[in-house]
């Protein structure tokens, strides 16, 4: 693969936004919200031509395809100061698993290491790297928060979204029971073990409802779609949104899983 030429390096922190497959295909508003948050924090943001991080193939045991996709990602994001994703699972794939794909290839291993050290989940980057303490946004009502597994366990993302949410005018955070327990999605896990996945998301939906918060937030679109599907099937009137949309003050889009005409006003 040949490296793409880059323009002159900007003076501000230069961020390559890893949009992720689900955001690109299912919820582009999350990507736009991420751009707004990063630009408001003083970054120059670009979204280079990119592909899947390889997580579905990796979870399915297809190391060959995963390596091919990882190489494309490494090439796409070379040169940026940072790589930021509005997804703990995709950022975790790059940060925690790319290295092992190239154990026997020192050249690509070094490139994977370099990308891993520059890659962050969105709220972690804002708080831990840029030192952001507040956002310019408002949201009228209570929310509860689900800690997605990869972000929490691989990247230690827990306090960061809560710290930023505390600065949103009009928002009240109500913690649900077992906020740090899996929602049952797990990517291909939900397909391979649908009965177990269904039981796990049933417990999660119950905890969301018992929090009495009318909105649930999280940082991973896969988890949000899984929870939204269960809440909708059960007739539970809970809005589901990505945390970036609320932090950016971009909540004009209907909640995840709701049609425009059915959006709760």
């Amino acid at each position: 693969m040949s490296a793409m030429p880059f323009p002159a390096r900007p003076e501000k922190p230069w961020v390559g936004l890893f949009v992720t497959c689900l955001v690109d295909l299912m919820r582009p508003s999350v990507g736009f919200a991420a751009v707004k948050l990063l630009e408001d924090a003083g970054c120059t943001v670009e979204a280079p031509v990119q592909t899947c991080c390889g997580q579905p193939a990796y979870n399915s045991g297809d190391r060959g395809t995963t390596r091919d996709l990882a190489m494309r990602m490494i090439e796409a994001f070379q040169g940026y100061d940072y790589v930021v994703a509005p997804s703990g699972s995709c950022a975790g794939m790059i940060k925690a698993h790319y290295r092992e794909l190239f154990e026997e290839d020192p050249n690509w291993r070094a490139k994977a290491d370099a990308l891993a050290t520059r890659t962050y989940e969105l709220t972690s980057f804002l708080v831990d790297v840029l030192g952001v303490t507040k956002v310019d946004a408002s949201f009228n009502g209570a929310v509860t928060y689900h800690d997605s597994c990869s972000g929490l366990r691989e990247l230690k993302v827990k306090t960061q979204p809560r710290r930023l949410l505390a600065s949103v005018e009009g928002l009240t955070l109500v913690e649900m029971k077992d906020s740090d327990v899996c929602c049952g999605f797990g990517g291909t896990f939900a397909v391979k073990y649908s009965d177990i996945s269904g039981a796990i998301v049933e417990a999660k939906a119950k905890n969301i409802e018992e929090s009495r918060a009318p909105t649930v937030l999280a940082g991973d679109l896969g988890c949000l779609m899984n929870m939204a599907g269960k809440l909708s099937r059960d007739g539970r009137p809970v809005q589901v949104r990505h945390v970036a949309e609320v932090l950016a003050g971009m909540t004009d889009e209907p909640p995840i899983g709701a049609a425009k005409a059915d959006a709760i006003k």
Side-chain angles (χ1 to χ4, degrees):
M1 302 178 191
S2 59
M4 295 294 292
F6 283 92
R9 180 178 297 278
E11 295 181 1
K12 299 177 181 179
W14 195 17
V15 172
L17 179 67
F18 178 32
V19 178
T20 80
C21 300
L22 284 180
V23 169
D24 182 34
L25 295 172
M26 306 300 294
R27 192 76 172 179
S29 58
V30 174
F32 292 116
V35 170
K36 181 179 186 301
L37 288 166
L38 291 166
E39 290 183 339
D40 286 351
C43 298
T44 297
V45 185
E46 295 180 4
V49 176
Q50 54 195 265
T51 186
C52 176
C53 67
Q55 185 179 179
Y58 180 82
N59 290 341
S60 300
D62 185 352
R63 294 297 186 268
T65 297
T66 309
R67 278 191 292 272
D68 288 343
L69 291 170
M71 289 178 182
R72 294 184 185 184
M73 284 290 295
I74 290 168
E75 292 284 1
F77 286 96
Q78 67 174 331
Y80 292 101
D81 298 326
Y82 303 99
V83 178
V84 177
S87 165
S89 62
C90 295
M93 176 65 197
I94 297 169
K95 210 165 182 70
H97 301 292
Y98 267 21
R99 293 178 173 96
E100 65 189 78
L101 295 171
F102 303 104
E103 289 288 354
E104 299 180 1
D105 188 331
N107 181 43
W108 280 102
R109 170 62 187 266
K111 293 179 180 180
D113 282 341
L115 180 62
T117 59
R118 295 181 289 113
T119 298
Y120 294 88
E121 182 273 340
L122 175 64
T123 62
S124 174
F125 180 70
L126 292 170
V127 173
D128 299 332
V129 178
L130 299 182
V132 175
T133 58
K134 62 180 299 184
V135 295
D136 183 16
S138 61
F139 186 86
N140 184 25
V143 303
T144 192
Y145 193 88
H146 164 69
D147 296 292
S148 302
C149 293
S150 294
L152 177 66
R153 292 169 177 84
E154 291 182 340
L155 305 178
K156 310 303 179 189
V157 176
K158 186 174 179 69
T159 61
Q160 300 93 329
R162 290 170 170 82
R163 188 176 304 174
L164 295 174
L165 287 169
S167 71
V168 176
E169 182 180 355
L171 182 146
T172 301
L173 177 63
V174 180
E175 294 288 358
M176 75 173 88
K177 177 184 176 183
D178 295 334
S179 66
D180 58 352
V181 172
C182 180
C183 74
F185 178 59
T188 55
F189 174 86
V191 177
K192 294 178 181 177
Y193 307 103
S194 58
D195 290 344
I196 299 174
S197 174
I200 295 173
V201 75
E202 169 61 34
K204 178 61 66 173
K206 180 180 178 182
N207 290 338
I208 292 170
E209 186 174 46
E210 289 180 350
S211 76
R212 297 188 181 279
T215 301
V216 59
L217 308 177
D220 264 283
L221 189 52
C223 300
L224 288 162
M225 292 171 63
N226 188 46
M227 293 185 293
K230 178 60 176 174
L231 291 165
S232 175
R233 290 192 298 274
D234 289 352
R236 290 165 164 152
V238 180
Q239 294 191 10
V240 182
R241 292 190 179 276
H242 194 286
V243 65
E245 296 174 313
V246 172
L247 293 176
M250 297 172 63
T251 55
D252 291 339
E253 285 293 313
I256 293 169
K260 289 186 180 294
D262 298 329
I264 301 174
K265 304 297 184 182

